[in-house]
Structure formats: structure tokens, C-alpha cells
Amino acid sequence: MGAIVLIAGLVARLGRRYGFPTVPCYMLVGILLGPGTPGPVLIDHPEDLAILASLGLVLLLFHLGVEFPAEQVLGSGRRLFIAAGVYIGLNVTAGLALGFALGWGTSEALVTGGALGISSSAIATKLLIELRRLTNAETPIILGIIVIEDMFLAFYLALLSPVLNDSGSTADFVVDLLVSFGFLVLLFAMARFGARAIALVLNSREDELLAILMVGLVVLVAGIALEVGVSEAIGALMIGLVVSRTSLKDRVEQLVMPLRDVFAAIFFVSFGLTIDVGDLGSVALPAAVAVVITVCTNLTAGIVTARLFGFNQRAATNIGLTVLGRGEFSLILATLAIAAGLDERIGPFVALYVLVLAIAAPLLAAQSRHFARFVPDRLLRSRYRYVRAETMSTSCTHQDQMHYTETDIDVCQECVDIGSTWVQLRLCMKCGYVGCCDDSPHKHTSAHYEREHHPVIQSLEPGADWQYCYVDEILVRQPLGRASSS
């Protein structure tokens, strides 16, 4: 076990140099050095790691619950919930349809729907950092979608638990479903009213004791969840949500992160150990179809989201391709399906699907500007090249020079003086000059910038609220929640 964990760490370190996420690296090491692949085998019996892998799963979900920003989600507004609903709905529905089309059964289709429907928050967040898009205007929306996905995961696991437990009659299924959601409600109530009591149980000035008490509580709640017929993942996620409401949140988050990383790595390696490479060939075509479907649904959801928030084509493709990666949650669902004795092809299918997207997602997200060219103008009402191709950002350093946002002038005076015509009008936000756009014959607005070096212009077309900075060569949007000056 020591050897395979060490190798997994070295491979992941090598992968990080080339921009690849760590999760597929761990999984790949498990596949290559497990009993299902010809060559050296470091662990003959993957079940030997079952307890440690379960601890990794529990800590992974617990940390997610601790990090969950409930207030941010609840205060995000209706548009964000609609955008997240469209994203989740498109991907889960596509996954369900694929599962039924493959003839794997209802239980397998539900697992496939979840595996295709929930993106990897770790991969998406790392992409935003590595591609330097943290200040982009669409980035808060991406993070909001990820957070709402995490919330959706809890309810999806609750729905899936009675299915995986193979409830016999309809009455048994209903009872199991009510137990699952009742357990959720109980833990939600604990988060709302019992956080202070939990803080008293965990509170210690010594990090050593706090860590021991925390792990004991998490494993206990996860075990109780299993005893009542609910996934241990739900129990861990929800007790994390309870702890996030206490004054110990920051300390717990710091203490659990290294534990989560180590045991989560063992969980992903253990999943890889269960995969037989001989089974990958039989699921290669379904996995390829799933990848293509996911790319299409993600781009569609990105366009819908961009239209909701008034973003351009570049932002639309940024949204769709940043949340393209699948990882930990897909593997968790596959692990639960394997443990429940569902179709044995589920494991290899999800493994191959995650591996392909782990490679494809960073590459596609980095080239999102090329995909933006194929988004029809009529979908987002962005008619001009620098409007649809540039990334909207809140990082413009010239917002202090935005003095004018409105004007009564409705002509390009320089065009009038020479008897010419124009296409559209632009407003210089520093001095109030109004000139014609770059699609006009004389491009007077750009000429004004060349003379005066006033950096930011604004469109004067009805329904077009974009602003463009000549110096930074980006579209400018005020940070969310900040009103424009007038």
C-alpha cells in the first residue's frame, strides 16, 4: 500500500506539471498496478483497502459540507438558480437517457445520470486559477453553479439510497425514500439549531484533540447513516454542513484538508484497483458517446447562462467548458453502484469517462475562445468581433475614469460634418464624446482614442450594456453587486 500511494503521489506531481488534475492520476495508478491489468500487481485484493477508502470518501464529503457557503447560495438570486437548474437538468437528463438507451436498467440509469450530471468542483476551481480567470465576470456564476451542484448532490444521494438498497415493493421504496429525506431534514435541523451543541462537543484549544474529536464525530454520523439505510456520503456531507455553522469552521477546515487529501487519494487508487482493463473495450463506445453528449450539454447550458446574465460568446464557452470535468462525485456514485451489486460495466464506464474528460476538459477550456466563434450572434445579441470574442472581466484598472454613462447625443457629429453615415454609436466614458463604431467607414471612436487616449467606451445601442477598454483590451463589467456610476 505504501508503494502504490507513493507512486500515485509521484505520478500526480508529474501530471500537475502539465496541468492535469490529480484525481485521474490516482485512479490511473490503481488501474495500472491492480489485479485487472497485466504486469506488476502491488495489491491483489482491493477489498484490503476498503476501510481506508471509505474513510477517504467520508472525509471528502465532510470537507465539502464544511466549505459549503449556504448564505452565498441563498443570496445569489433567481437567475443563478435558473442557470444551475438548466445545467444540472440538461446533464442529468442526458445521463439518464444514455443509461436507458444502453439497456442497463433503472438503477444503473440513475447512477449514469448522476455521473454525467455533476461536475468536479476541484477540477473547475483549479482551471479558473490556472487559466487566470478569477476576475472574469462569469467566474462568480461558475462558482455559484458548482456550489448549487454540491447542494443537489445531497438530495440526489438521498434519492439514490433506497434504489441502491434494492427496496422490494413500492411501499418499501417509499418508506426508504422517506427515511433518506427524513435523515436529511434531521441534519438540516441540526445545522440550523444544534450547531452550538456540536461546537461544545468538538471544542478544544489543542489541534490534536480537535482533529480526533472531529474524525470520531464524522465517522459516527456516517455509520449511523449506513445503519438507517442512507449512504455514508450523505451523513458525512450533512455533518460537515452542521460544523460549517459553528465558530470552529476555519480550524476544522484547516485540519481536515490534509487528512482529506491523503485518504481521498487512497479512495481514488482503490477505485482504480477494481477496474479490469479487459472491460474497458466493451464500454469504450458508450464512454465516447457520453463525452460528446457532455460537451454539447455543457456548451448549451453555458449559452443559456450567458443569455440570462447578459454575457458574450466568449463568456458562454468559458462557463460551459470550465465545468466540463468530471471526477470525485462521479467516482463516488460508481463506487456506491459497485457496492450495491449493479451492472459490472458501470465501474469501467465511469472510469473511462472520467479519464477522458480529465484530459479533455483542461485542453478545451484553455481554447474556449475558438469555440466562441461558432456561437451564433442571434443567441446572445453580440454582433461585433471584440464584443463576442473578448473575455468580460472585472479587472479593468481604468474604472475610475468612467464619468459618463448616458448622453442625449444620437449622432456621430464628425460623420455629419463630412456628410458620411455610420453603423452604431459609442460613448467615451471619460469625456462624453460620441462617435461611430469600428464597423463604420471612418471609425471615429477609435480615432478619438488614438488622439486622446481615453480608455473606456460604452455602446449606445438599445439593449447593449457592454463597455470596452482599449488599454486592457477586454470587455468591462462592474463587479457583481456594484451599481454603475452615473
Side-chain angles (χ1 to χ4, degrees), residues 39-180:
V41 177
L42 293 184
I43 296 182
D44 292 297
H45 305 289
E47 60 272 14
D48 292 346
L49 298 182
I51 294 295
L52 294 178
S54 295
L55 187 56
L57 168 64
V58 165
L59 290 175
L60 192 67
L61 271 296
F62 171 70
H63 191 256
L64 174 64
V66 173
E67 286 186 315
F68 189 81
E71 289 79 7
Q72 176 185 337
V73 173
L74 296 176
S76 295
R78 184 173 59 91
R79 286 187 299 173
L80 179 59
F81 279 92
I82 293 174
V86 169
Y87 177 83
I88 294 170
L90 283 174
N91 283 282
V92 172
T93 301
L96 287 170
L98 179 62
F100 286 120
L102 295 173
W104 287 355
T106 301
S107 299
E108 288 80 1
L110 287 169
V111 173
T112 304
L116 269 64
I118 301 173
S119 64
S120 169
S121 56
I123 293 175
T125 305
K126 287 179 181 178
L127 278 177
L128 290 172
I129 295 171
E130 291 166 6
L131 296 176
R132 299 180 180 179
R133 294 177 180 171
L134 290 177
T135 58
N136 285 16
E138 73 273 5
T139 294
I141 311 306
I142 293 172
L143 295 175
I145 290 173
I146 291 171
V147 169
I148 294 174
E149 275 189 298
D150 296 343
M151 184 168 61
F152 169 78
L153 176 66
F155 290 98
Y156 200 79
L157 286 172
L159 173 66
L160 205 57
S161 290
V163 176
L164 297 180
N165 289 336
D166 193 22
S167 302
S169 64
T170 303
D172 291 337
F173 175 80
V174 171
V175 169
D176 289 343
L177 191 62
L178 290 175
V179 168
S180 295

Side-chain angles (χ1 to χ4, degrees), residues 378-397:
R378 63 181 179 274
L379 294 178
L380 298 174
R381 299 190 296 273
S382 298
R383 295 178 53 193
Y384 297 94
R385 178 192 59 78
Y386 58 77
V387 177
R388 63 175 178 262
E390 294 294 342
T391 303
M392 287 189 176
S393 175
T394 59
S395 62
C396 172
T397 57

